[in-house]
Amino acid sequence: MNANPQFLAATATVDEAAIQPLPNSRKIYVEGSRPDIRVPMREISQSDTPASFGAEKNPPIYVYDTSGLYTDPAAKIDIRSGLPALRAAWIEERGDTEELPGPTSQYGIERLNDPKLAELRFNLHRKPRRAKAGKNVSQMHYARQGIITPEMEYIAIRENLRRKEYIESLKASGPMGQKLADLMGRQHPGQNFGASIPAEITPEFVREEVARGRAIIPANINHPEIEPMIIGRNFLVKINANIGNSAVTSSIGEEVEKMTWAIRWGGDTVMDLSTGKHIHETREWIIRNSPVPIGTVPIYQALEKVNGKAEDLTWEIFRDTLIEQAEQGVDYFTIHAGVRLQYVPLTAKRMTGIVSRGGSIMAKWCLAHHKESFLYTHFEEICEIMKAYDVSFSLGDGLRPGSIYDANDEAQLGELKTLGELTQIAWKHDVQVMIEGPGHVPLHMIKENMDLQLEQCHEAPFYTLGPLTTDIAPGYDHITSGIGAATIGWYGTAMLCYVTPKEHLGLPNKADVKEGIITYKLAAHAADLAKGHPGAQIRDNALSKARFEFRWEDQFNLGLDPDKAREFHDETLPKDSAKVAHFCSMCGPHFCSMKITQDVRDYAASQGISDEQALKQGMEVKAVEFVKSGAEIYRKQ
Ligand code: IRN
Ligand code: FE2
């Protein structure tokens, strides 16, 4: 990374392309019980059904929006001052926190006093907050006292996506609307393996799930900029995108840009895995500009502080790092406290040993000192820090399998059991917890992994890296893992950590980040559908209808990646007229099944018979018609 602090000024503007609203999309805000609860959603508008299909009005649909103010044309974006502190009033009015005069971590104080860093220092006047002595400011603590926070209400509105209102307004719009409401509202029941998702998410339901530990709301009091979200198996499946510089690449500006890019395509949380120089400053810039929760792996930075020598790590250095990051506003910490001394020898039998970075750092420390991990022995003290800022645990899977060969082995399952014990300790402190999972697991072993996690970790949300379902496709591991992610999401995993095409090969660039996100968005949605998440199918139904009616623009815009869909369509049929054509280049004009089906329906309607009867009775007649019309098209060309 460039040593000259000036580099930041040069790159500190948001990429214009990344902040345009998506095509035919508009950001709307749904207001809650108070005017400062304004929940963003993306409204995608559609064109009318062509006359030949019945000239219906297709009302806009609403989708989950993670992109923050960046896609709101009314917002003024200045990444040098950061996003507005949406939650500041909610945090303050609870009366249980206090503003500190400045950072209290030793490292934070050093950075603040280093004149060489003046240019890189973000938002000089921001003062960190901390719980008042004896107070616990976690969402779980409030939930367990029966308090519904504004964050919980916000989340309830967000998860419902105006589905009920959408269906009601369709119904109210006349007979055509009623028909549409029926079409849009119908979905397969799904199979959810014990999850229980209500038809309508209420703030009280959010509270109950958080109190029970079945869901978490990552929301550090020092990250008031976030738009609250929830991770739990009775809610929409979420995805995480990893970003971060290494010693060799990227600048702060680039990392901020990767974050805005990741949320544009649907990243629900972002993890900053930076290990290079200026980690502290990079993180500050990312947090101040991020509307989604930010996670980190604090042991990475602690390791930097001891110049990469794992054996030199101490509890004191780690503790100071936790406080430093908690005061900056990190919303969840990956902590590999399940890597216990006794498990390390079990990894000797493996094909690929320990593949987790954090896991290998801790294993090395344990072996070098022949001592139990300080993360494990100081776990209660870590809980004390977590509850003073409301940082959630993401208990790391330091012993996850790094190959199909090692899947569900003793080391992995031993660690999982320990993570379950630690969960109960954290819950004793009302600290929020999710559990990280693998890794590499073949399809037939995924269910066992999920079931064990639910049982041993007492239904704390599972957060898995894929898993990759085969090892034979370097370059395509977003796909090998997307298959596993959809599967484990269906079984009950609450958040899926994305894998990009560069997995095992190199650091992802912007294109890889997008590819990883879209792949994981579709895996998460496939899981929601399979679980029968209420209303999940509305978007599928809308897109299918657009596809059937040859509303090409709507088909692109309702999809996860409108740009790519349009680009692919343009490759073979570039003309504007092709966007209204009743065929695509895949089958051409003569073999389009959708067109043929519509012809069958029209024929049935004209004969006053059902589609099936039409198919039976009219086959021969239709056959002759098709030959004729086909011949006509040939002549025209
Ligand atoms: C997610 C589930 N299991 C692991 N992860 C992610 O892997 C975690 O959230 C973080 O982004 C990264 C940590 O990697 P190491 O340190 O375990 O390799
Ligand atoms: Fe791997």
Side-chain angles (χ1 to χ4, degrees), residues 41 51 81 111 176 190 235 246 322 354 384 437 464 486 544 575 577:
M41 281 168 209
S81 36
R111 299 302 273 189
M176 192 77 96
F235 300 91
S246 70
L322 290 185
I354 300 178
E384 294 294 341
T464 61
S544 306
K575 281 188 234 99
S577 62

Side-chain angles (χ1 to χ4, degrees), residues 240 242 271 273 297 300 332 334 336 355-359 394 397-398 400 436-438 463-465 497:
N240 169 69
N242 290 332
M271 289 197 73
L273 304 184
V297 189
Y300 296 175
Y332 62 93
T334 292
H336 299 86
V355 294
S356 152
R357 274 206 281 185
S394 185
D397 56 340
R400 68 172 169 269
E436 295 190 2
Y463 163 38
T464 61
L465 187 58
C497 184

Side-chain angles (χ1 to χ4, degrees), residues 440-512:
H440 294 237
V441 186
L443 273 173
H444 65 288
M445 290 167 79
I446 291 179
K447 182 77 167 49
E448 180 197 12
N449 196 168
M450 184 73 232
D451 290 346
L452 283 171
Q453 190 275 341
L454 285 174
E455 183 196 314
Q456 298 189 343
C457 300
H458 322 285
E459 299 184 70
F462 205 19
Y463 163 38
T464 61
L465 187 58
L468 286 78
T469 51
T470 167
D471 293 339
I472 66 164
Y476 295 85
D477 280 331
H478 57 311
I479 298 177
T480 61
S481 69
I483 294 167
T487 309
I488 206 162
W490 175 29
Y491 296 154
T493 286
M495 184 155 81
L496 308 169
C497 184
Y498 88 167
V499 170
T500 74
K502 291 279 165 67
E503 182 72 10
H504 303 121
L505 304 171
L507 262 191
N509 60 24
K510 259 176 84 175
D512 301 320

Side-chain angles (χ1 to χ4, degrees), residues 353-606:
I354 300 178
V355 294
S356 152
R357 274 206 281 185
S360 62
I361 295 167
M362 288 320 295
K364 195 168 169 204
W365 188 93
C366 288
L367 290 182
H369 296 272
H370 205 83
K371 262 200 196 149
E372 189 59 271
S373 147
F374 58 80
L375 300 177
Y376 185 80
T377 55
H378 289 271
F379 195 73
E380 301 233 16
E381 285 161 85
I382 300 177
C383 293
E384 294 294 341
I385 298 172
M386 305 299 257
K387 67 191 189 199
Y389 304 91
D390 196 9
V391 183
S392 300
F393 274 114
S394 185
L395 291 176
D397 56 340
L399 300 179
R400 68 172 169 269
S403 54
I404 292 296
Y405 182 92
D406 293 339
N408 291 8
D409 74 348
E410 261 182 293
Q412 182 199 336
L413 300 181
E415 179 187 49
L416 185 65
K417 207 157 177 239
T418 299
L419 297 184
E421 288 161 20
L422 296 172
T423 299
Q424 284 186 311
I425 297 175
W427 284 355
K428 206 178 70 191
H429 291 265
D430 292 352
V431 171
Q432 310 191 81
V433 182
M434 62 180 167
I435 309 289
E436 295 190 2
H440 294 237
V441 186
L443 273 173
H444 65 288
M445 290 167 79
I446 291 179
K447 182 77 167 49
E448 180 197 12
N449 196 168
M450 184 73 232
D451 290 346
L452 283 171
Q453 190 275 341
L454 285 174
E455 183 196 314
Q456 298 189 343
C457 300
H458 322 285
E459 299 184 70
F462 205 19
Y463 163 38
T464 61
L465 187 58
L468 286 78
T469 51
T470 167
D471 293 339
I472 66 164
Y476 295 85
D477 280 331
H478 57 311
I479 298 177
T480 61
S481 69
I483 294 167
T487 309
I488 206 162
W490 175 29
Y491 296 154
T493 286
M495 184 155 81
L496 308 169
C497 184
Y498 88 167
V499 170
T500 74
K502 291 279 165 67
E503 182 72 10
H504 303 121
L505 304 171
L507 262 191
N509 60 24
K510 259 176 84 175
D512 301 320
V513 168
K514 179 176 171 187
E515 194 79 9
I517 298 225
I518 301 284
T519 308
Y520 271 66
K521 268 312 255 196
L522 66 89
H525 184 72
D528 286 335
L529 275 178
K531 281 163 81 175
H533 188 108
Q537 209 181 302
I538 288 177
R539 188 172 182 176
D540 297 74
N541 292 349
L543 196 144
S544 306
K545 187 169 186 284
R547 181 176 284 154
F548 185 77
E549 294 170 0
F550 299 98
R551 286 182 280 123
W552 292 99
E553 288 294 339
D554 293 345
Q555 191 190 154
F556 308 151
N557 298 337
L558 289 165
L560 292 177
D561 184 355
D563 301 348
K564 188 169 193 167
R566 184 171 290 102
E567 193 186 304
F568 279 11
H569 188 261
D570 281 354
E571 262 176 37
T572 42
L573 291 172
K575 281 188 234 99
D576 270 357
S577 62
K579 302 287 185 288
V580 291
H582 285 195
F583 58 86
C584 70
S585 68
M586 204 167 85
C587 313
H590 326 301
F591 293 97
C592 179
S593 59
M594 302 252 180
K595 172 87 175 76
I596 295 168
T597 310
Q598 188 56 36
D599 288 344
V600 171
R601 283 189 185 171
D602 291 347
Y603 177 75
S606 72

Side-chain angles (χ1 to χ4, degrees), residues 254-296:
E254 278 172 71
E255 291 313 312
V256 173
E257 203 177 304
K258 265 189 222 161
M259 180 273 293
T260 51
W261 186 241
I263 61 176
R264 174 179 181 80
W265 299 110
D268 292 288
T269 73
V270 166
M271 289 197 73
D272 173 18
L273 304 184
S274 294
T275 55
K277 263 202 192 131
H278 300 316
I279 298 184
H280 181 94
E281 289 69 27
T282 305
R283 189 168 49 232
E284 187 71 24
W285 281 80
I286 292 173
I287 294 172
R288 300 284 74 82
N289 285 293
S290 171
V292 305
I294 298 295
T296 60

